């Protein structure tokens, strides 16, 4: 028995027969000069795209090519909460977007609130970020120094520019990164244009900010300021082992199921992170 399928949204439709409607319809893609819809190869391709046929001749749904990803809700203390809220309750804060004023304010507010709840327990910063506004990032940095709680930093994925500076500013001895993390440090970048005086003023301000960042970075890494100036003038990239040697992090974080194996390997193969 033949199978007849006419999807509702693929039915052929006709425009009104008045002249104005015809002229407008003629300008629309997929319509003829008469105002009637052009049921042609494109229409048939659309049908074939929506339907696939088995060898027995039965129609099936088109294959789903992508699963929509949302923010899951999880059970926490007898209630379903957004997973980000659950992590915040566990004193874990993520920097996953380019840092701007809005993100900076949210992070600072979260840090202050969690520190007020319990100042005797560490806070955890997870960083996977590719830069951001210097002033907004320095607000996060200053808040980290202001808190009574220690801030433990973890890098997952990458930390470019100012997020790498925040990574290095974590609690000494507890700064870590996953094995394939990439860290890049460069001088601050300005976007001044217009009058010469405006460009010169921004250059002076950026120079002050750069000098301050480099001096603070020297304190957190133990590197001489002169070496930091020399290394970061053109920008410098680090893998995890290089970041340890430079003083940006203290160790490489590995999955717990592999920690015992790696520990045994380190005894026989020095140099593994």
């Amino acid at each position: 028995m033949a199978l007849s399928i006419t999807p509702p949204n693929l039915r052929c439709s006709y425009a009104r027969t008045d002249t104005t409607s015809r002229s407008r319809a003629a300008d629309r893609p997929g319509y003829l000069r008469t105002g009637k819809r052009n049921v042609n190869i494109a229409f048939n391709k659309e049908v074939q795209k929506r339907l696939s046929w088995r060898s027995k001749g039965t129609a099936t749904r088109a294959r789903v090519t992508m699963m929509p990803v949302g923010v899951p809700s999880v059970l926490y203390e007898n209630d379903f909460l957004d997973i980000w809220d659950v992590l915040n309750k566990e004193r874990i804060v993520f920097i996953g977007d380019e840092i701007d004023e809005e993100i900076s304010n949210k992070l600072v507010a979260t840090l202050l609130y969690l520190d007020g709840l319990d100042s005797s327990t560490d806070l955890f910063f997870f960083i996977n970020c590719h830069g951001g506004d210097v002033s907004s990032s320095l607000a996060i940095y200053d808040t980290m120094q202001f808190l009574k709680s220690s801030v433990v930093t973890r890098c997952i994925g990458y930390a470019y520019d100012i997020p790498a500076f925040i990574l290095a500013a974590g609690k000494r001895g507890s700064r870590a990164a996953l094995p394939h993390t990439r860290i890049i440090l460069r001088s601050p970048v300005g976007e001044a244009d217009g009058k010469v005086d405006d460009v010169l003023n921004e250059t002076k301000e950026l120079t002050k900010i750069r000098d301050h960042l480099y001096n603070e970075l020297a304190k957190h890494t133990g590197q001489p300021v002169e070496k930091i100036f020399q290394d970061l003038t053109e920008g410098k990239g680090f893998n995890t082992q290089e970041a340890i040697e430079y003083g940006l992090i203290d160790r490489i974080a590995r999955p717990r199921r592999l920690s015992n194996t790696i520990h045994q390997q380190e005894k026989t193969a020095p140099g593994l992170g």
Side-chain angles (χ1 to χ4, degrees):
M1 181 177 67
L3 179 64
S4 176
I5 297 180
T6 307
N9 56 344
L10 294 178
R11 294 182 185 275
C12 181
S13 60
Y14 295 87
R16 293 184 303 174
T17 56
D18 58 274
T19 306
T20 302
S21 300
R22 288 181 181 180
S23 61
R24 291 177 179 174
D27 296 332
R28 296 168 58 187
Y31 282 78
L32 299 174
R33 288 288 180 180
T34 59
K36 296 181 180 180
R37 189 167 183 175
N38 187 6
V39 183
N40 51 18
I41 297 176
F43 177 83
N44 292 327
K45 285 183 177 180
E46 186 68 21
V47 173
Q48 293 301 321
K49 187 189 301 183
R50 292 174 179 270
L51 296 175
S52 61
W53 297 87
R54 300 181 188 272
S55 57
K56 294 182 179 180
T58 57
T60 61
R61 289 182 179 270
R63 181 179 298 176
V64 177
T65 58
M66 189 180 82
M67 173 75 73
V69 178
V71 178
S73 296
V74 296
L75 184 62
Y76 183 85
E77 295 181 352
N78 300 321
D79 194 9
F80 281 93
L81 299 176
D82 187 298
I83 193 169
W84 300 111
D85 293 334
V86 173
L87 290 173
N88 285 346
K89 288 179 177 293
E90 295 296 324
R91 304 178 72 79
I92 297 174
V93 181
F94 272 81
I95 302 180
D97 294 314
E98 185 173 343
I99 300 173
D100 56 18
E101 184 177 352
E102 180 181 359
I103 291 176
S104 175
N105 288 334
K106 290 180 179 179
L107 289 174
V108 167
T110 302
L111 291 174
L112 292 174
Y113 173 72
L114 294 176
D115 184 63
L117 288 179
D118 182 6
S119 60
S120 62
T121 307
D122 290 345
L123 289 165
F124 289 83
F125 244 160
F126 280 76
I127 300 171
N128 185 24
C129 183
H130 59 84
D133 179 69
V134 175
S135 298
S136 299
S137 301
L138 285 176
I140 298 173
Y141 172 77
D142 287 339
T143 303
M144 292 170 62
Q145 314 307 312
F146 171 78
L147 299 175
K148 294 180 180 179
S149 304
S150 296
V151 179
V152 176
T153 51
R154 297 279 189 270
C155 187
I156 53 175
Y158 56 91
Y160 293 174
D161 302 330
I162 195 68
F165 172 74
I166 294 176
L167 171 66
K171 180 181 178 181
R172 292 295 293 270
S174 300
R175 302 168 301 176
L178 294 183
H180 296 97
T181 296
R182 291 294 299 172
I183 300 171
I184 294 179
L185 282 167
R186 291 175 293 193
S187 297
V189 178
E191 299 180 354
D193 57 8
K195 297 186 298 183
V196 174
D197 291 340
D198 295 336
V199 175
L200 290 175
N201 289 335
E202 179 165 346
T203 301
K204 293 178 181 178
E205 187 64 25
L206 282 174
T207 302
K208 293 179 181 178
I209 293 174
R210 181 202 62 186
D211 294 347
H212 173 71
L213 288 175
Y214 286 2
N215 280 280
E216 292 295 308
L217 191 60
K219 296 177 184 177
H220 295 300
T221 61
Q223 297 289 343
V225 177
E226 296 77 12
K227 179 174 175 56
I228 291 178
F229 268 87
Q230 181 180 357
D231 291 341
L232 304 189
T233 299
E234 299 295 332
K236 186 175 179 63
F238 306 84
N239 59 30
T240 47
Q241 187 60 45
E242 292 168 342
I244 291 175
E245 296 169 358
Y246 206 82
L248 295 172
I249 60 176
D250 301 298
R251 64 183 181 86
I252 300 175
R254 292 187 173 89
R256 296 178 181 178
R257 64 180 182 275
L258 298 178
S259 59
N260 293 333
T261 303
I262 295 296
H263 182 66
Q264 293 298 325
Q265 290 178 354
E266 287 177 346
K267 292 181 179 179
T268 58
L272 287 176

